[in-house]
Amino acid sequence: MRILIRKKIFWLTPVLILSAGLISCGGEKKEGIGNEISDLQQVSFVKKSHKWFYLSQDGFSEVDLPSHAPQVLEQPWTEAIRIASAASLPMELAGSGDYQAYALVNRLGMLAFSGGEIKLFTDASYFSSLTADSLVFSDGQPVFYLYKSSFFNSSGSEPDGGGERPFLLDFNSRSGLFYPLVSYQNLGMDTSEEIIGFFWNGESWTCASKRRREQQIEFKYFIWKPLVSLTDLNPALLSTDSFIFKSATEDDYKKISMPLLFSSAPENLKSLIASIPSEFSFYVAWRDGSGSSPTNYYQAGVGSSTLNAKGLSRTESGYDVIVFADGTTYLRTADNGNISAFRLPLLQAGYSYGEVALAGDYLIVAWEENNFYKTKRSGFIQIDLTEVVKKIEG
C-alpha cells in the first residue's frame, strides 16, 4: 500500500509559487503540480524569510544577492575562503551549548550560530597557510583537521618556529579559542607525510595519508583511538603510547568513506526523499545527529548527470532536512511529521549550494561560485524556517 505524503512545493524567490499537490512515496504524481503565479503579497514573505551573506578576508557581510558580492580572485578550492564543512550540535546536547551550529570557513575561522545570531572566530596562526576541513564533534566540542594541499600550496607544512605540526584542532565555544588536540608528531608521522582524510565514528579515527617517494606517491591507512577523551588531550604531553593503533588497508578505508547504496540508508533519510523517482541519480552526505563524520549514500539512477546533496537529522530539535546543489530542499517538521519540498532562491549559472546546518529554527546553507576546481565568491544563506513552515501549512 502506498502512503501519500502531502507536499507543498514553492519558490522562496519572488512572484513564482508552485501550487500544492499530492505525491506518492514512489514518486507518482496524484494531482499534478501547477505553475500558477501567486498573489504579489507573498513577496513580503519572501523578503523576510532569508538573508544572504558573503565571505571575505575581513569576515562576513550581508548582501542582497550572491552575484552582488565583491569580486574576488579565483583560487583552488583548498586555498579559497569558503565554507568547507558545517554541522549542528549533536542531538543529545541540543539546547545545552552556547551555539547550535557551526560552519568551518577555510582560511578564515569558525562561524558559530545561535538561532539567528552569527559570530565569527578567527586565528591566523592556524588558518592562514593550511586548509581546514571535516568538521565533527567529540564530547560536544567542534573538532576539525588541517592539512596542506601539496599540489596547490607550495608553502611548508611545518609551523613557524618548528613547533608541533597540528592535525586535529578543537574550537572552544566558551572562550572562542582554537586548541591543538593531536599533532603529526603525536601520531608518529614525519614531515613527508600528509593526512588527506579521516572518518570519525564516535570511537575511533580511520585515516588515509600520503607521501611522495622519488617519483611515486605512497598511501597509508591506519586506525587510532586515544586512551582518554579526545578533548582532554594535550599534544605537548602526548606520545604514541597515548593511542591505540591498528593498521588498515585501502579496502578498509573505502568501506567507510565510499558512498553506500541508497537502499541501505536509514529509514528517516529514505522516507524524507521517498518521492524522488528511482531513475534520478544523486549523492547524499547525511549527518545522523551523533556528531560523527557524515555517511555518503548513492542512488545510481539512469541519468547521465548526478546531483550532490547535504542533509542532516535534527528530529529531536524540530527538523530533518536535505538540500541539493540546485537548491531543491526537503524538510520534515518533527511536531507533525509533514514532509515539504521547496526550492531555495535560484542561483546564477556557475553557482551552487553546499554544506548545511540547523541552528534552532534557522537553516544555514553554504553557496559558492565555482569554475571547475577553483572557487571565486562564496558565502551562505540563512533561512527562517518558521516563516517557511508558516507559508507551507497556511
Side-chain angles (χ1 to χ4, degrees), residues 6 34 70 89-90 93 160 194 265 287 291 310 352:
R6 180 170 295 277
L89 197 67
L93 299 174
D160 294 338
E194 190 77 43
R287 291 184 181 267
K310 306 288 184 178
S352 62

Side-chain angles (χ1 to χ4, degrees), residues 4-5 30 35 59 64 68 96 137 146-147 156 168 198 200 213 257 274 281 302 305 342 352 356 374 394:
L4 297 183
I5 300 177
K30 290 298 182 182
N35 288 315
D64 59 342
H68 293 168
S96 64
F137 292 89
L146 297 174
Y147 71 99
L168 289 180
F198 70 77
W200 162 240
R213 283 183 179 271
S257 61
S281 302
V302 295
S305 60
F342 57 91
S352 62
V356 303
K374 293 184 178 181

Side-chain angles (χ1 to χ4, degrees), residues 262 264-274 282 284-287 295-297 310-313 320-322 332 339:
F262 188 68
S264 64
E267 287 303 316
N268 61 338
L269 168 55
K270 289 195 288 188
S271 62
L272 183 57
I273 53 176
F282 60 80
V284 175
W286 179 251
R287 291 184 181 267
T295 302
N296 299 305
Y297 297 96
K310 306 288 184 178
L312 69 157
S313 175
D320 291 337
V321 66
I322 286 178
R332 174 166 43 222
I339 298 174

Side-chain angles (χ1 to χ4, degrees), residues 71 82 91 107 224 230 288 295 343 355 360 376 379 386:
Q71 290 279 358
R82 55 184 289 273
M91 287 191 294
R107 297 309 180 99
W224 61 274
L230 184 66
D288 62 7
T295 302
R343 293 286 297 275
E355 294 288 320
K376 297 181 183 179
T386 59

Side-chain angles (χ1 to χ4, degrees), residues 55-57 59 81 105-110 120-123 127:
L55 297 166
S56 68
Q57 293 179 338
I81 294 177
V105 184
N106 185 47
R107 297 309 180 99
L108 190 59
M110 185 78 77
L120 173 66
F121 300 87
T122 62
D123 190 330
F127 287 91

Side-chain angles (χ1 to χ4, degrees), residues 54-56 69-75 369 375-378:
Y54 70 88
L55 297 166
S56 68
Q71 290 279 358
V72 298
L73 294 175
E74 63 179 15
Q75 297 187 74
E369 182 184 14
T375 298
K376 297 181 183 179
R377 289 172 283 195
S378 65

Side-chain angles (χ1 to χ4, degrees), residues 55-70:
L55 297 166
S56 68
Q57 293 179 338
D58 298 322
F60 67 98
S61 302
E62 191 170 349
V63 68
D64 59 342
L65 289 171
S67 57
H68 293 168

